[in-house]
């Protein structure tokens, strides 16, 4: 893959992509976490997905190893694996490319086509999880910047998921409060209070949600 799209982008945004062999070596350092289906990964400058795609590949390999004999579980655990990868990216074309790369990889490894309801659900999940925003200011990009919000997805079993939304700036407050801090309880309370609770959702309901960050 090309590590630089243009010299101008390097000058303007410092955009340089990490070589694949370094990505794999870095993922090896986190051991089994990169393979765990529900382990959440956030890349705050995700580019076109050169970190997130290998993470998804590892997760889906775990799905196939554990649930490959059941098409139902492979599909639903596979979607959970996709739900566990998150990214923030400043440049709009990279956001589009990252979502497309992850969706293509998901569809290929799960074995679905664009007319499958699971494909539509996956696209909507990526529309929420891969954010067009600025990780430093913790705001979305656009005409009216607003705080970045991430969806927390959980699999309830029997084809149902639970989605709760949390503000990114509130989640990062955890680093401000030590366990012995007078504000520790307050910090945890704010962090674990969702800005919106979508309740229980089926794959079809996620596919119809039109979820998108913009």
């Amino acid at each position: 893959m090309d590590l630089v799209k243009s010299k101008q982008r390097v000058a303007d945004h410092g955009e340089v992509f990490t070589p694949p062999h370094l990505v794999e070596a870095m993922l090896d350092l986190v051991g089994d976490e990169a393979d765990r289906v529900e382990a959440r990964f956030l890349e705050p400058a995700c580019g076109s997905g050169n970190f997130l795609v290998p993470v998804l590949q590892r997760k889906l390999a775990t799905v196939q190893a554990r649930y490959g004999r059941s098409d139902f579980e492979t599909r639903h655990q596979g979607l959970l694996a996709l739900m566990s990868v998150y990214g923030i990216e400043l440049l709009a074309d990279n956001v589009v490319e990252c979502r497309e790369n992850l969706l293509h990889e998901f569809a290929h490894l799960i074995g679905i086509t664009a007319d499958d309801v699971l494909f539509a659900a996956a696209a909507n999940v990526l529309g929420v999880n891969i954010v067009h925003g600025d990780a430093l200011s913790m705001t979305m990009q656009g005409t009216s910047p607003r705080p970045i919000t991430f969806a927390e997805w959980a699999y309830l079993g029997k084809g149902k998921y639970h989605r709760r939304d949390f503000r990114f700036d509130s989640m990062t407050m955890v680093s401000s409060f030590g366990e012995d801090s007078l504000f520790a309880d307050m910090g945890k309370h704010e962090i674990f209070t969702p800005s919106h609770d979508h309740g229980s959702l089926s794959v079809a309901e996620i596919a119809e949600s039109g979820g998108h960050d913009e």
Side-chain angles (χ1 to χ4, degrees):
M1 66 172 290
D2 293 331
L3 302 183
V4 173
K5 285 189 175 181
S6 74
K7 292 182 179 179
Q8 190 62 50
R9 288 167 73 107
V10 175
D12 291 344
H13 306 289
E15 180 187 65
V16 178
F17 298 106
T18 308
H21 71 280
L22 288 183
V23 171
E24 294 296 341
M26 293 171 74
L27 291 178
D28 286 341
L29 292 176
V30 298
D32 294 339
E33 283 301 296
D35 303 327
R36 196 157 60 88
V37 174
E38 69 278 12
R40 298 185 179 96
F41 279 76
L42 168 63
E43 172 54 45
C46 65
S48 57
N50 63 323
F51 266 98
L52 295 183
V53 168
V55 168
L56 180 62
Q57 289 171 337
R58 291 179 179 224
K59 290 175 173 293
L60 291 180
T62 299
V63 169
Q64 291 291 351
R66 290 182 180 175
Y67 307 103
R69 297 192 178 195
S70 167
D71 182 62
F72 181 89
E73 288 299 329
T74 296
R75 288 167 63 90
H76 289 88
Q77 294 290 341
L79 186 59
L80 178 63
L82 185 70
M83 289 169 165
S84 72
V85 295
Y86 299 84
I88 303 172
E89 173 55 35
L90 188 64
L91 303 179
D93 61 333
N94 281 344
V95 173
V96 173
E97 191 174 348
C98 183
R99 290 170 179 166
E100 289 178 347
N101 288 340
L102 286 166
L103 183 59
H104 177 270
E105 197 67 24
F106 174 77
H108 172 68
L109 293 176
I110 295 297
I112 59 173
T113 57
D115 59 353
D116 194 307
V117 66
L118 190 67
F119 187 96
N124 282 342
V125 167
L126 290 170
V128 173
N129 282 23
I130 307 302
V131 174
H132 183 204
D134 185 336
L136 294 178
S137 66
M138 303 186 194
T139 57
M140 311 279 280
Q141 293 291 94
T143 54
S144 56
R146 62 190 188 278
I148 290 174
T149 299
F150 281 118
E152 175 203 65
W153 304 93
Y155 186 44
L156 303 176
K158 298 182 179 180
K160 292 285 188 177
Y161 301 86
H162 186 199
R163 173 183 169 183
R164 299 189 302 167
D165 296 344
F166 294 86
R167 281 180 49 160
F168 184 44
D169 54 1
S170 294
M171 289 190 291
T172 59
M173 287 172 59
V174 70
S175 63
S176 301
F177 304 112
E179 290 185 3
D180 298 326
S181 167
L182 291 173
F183 302 100
D185 291 339
M186 181 186 73
K188 290 178 181 178
H189 173 74
E190 291 181 0
I191 291 164
F192 294 109
T193 301
S195 59
H196 186 65
D197 191 328
H198 298 258
S200 176
L201 300 168
S202 66
V203 169
E205 288 169 330
I206 295 171
E208 294 170 359
S209 67
H212 207 280
D213 72 351
E214 300 176 281

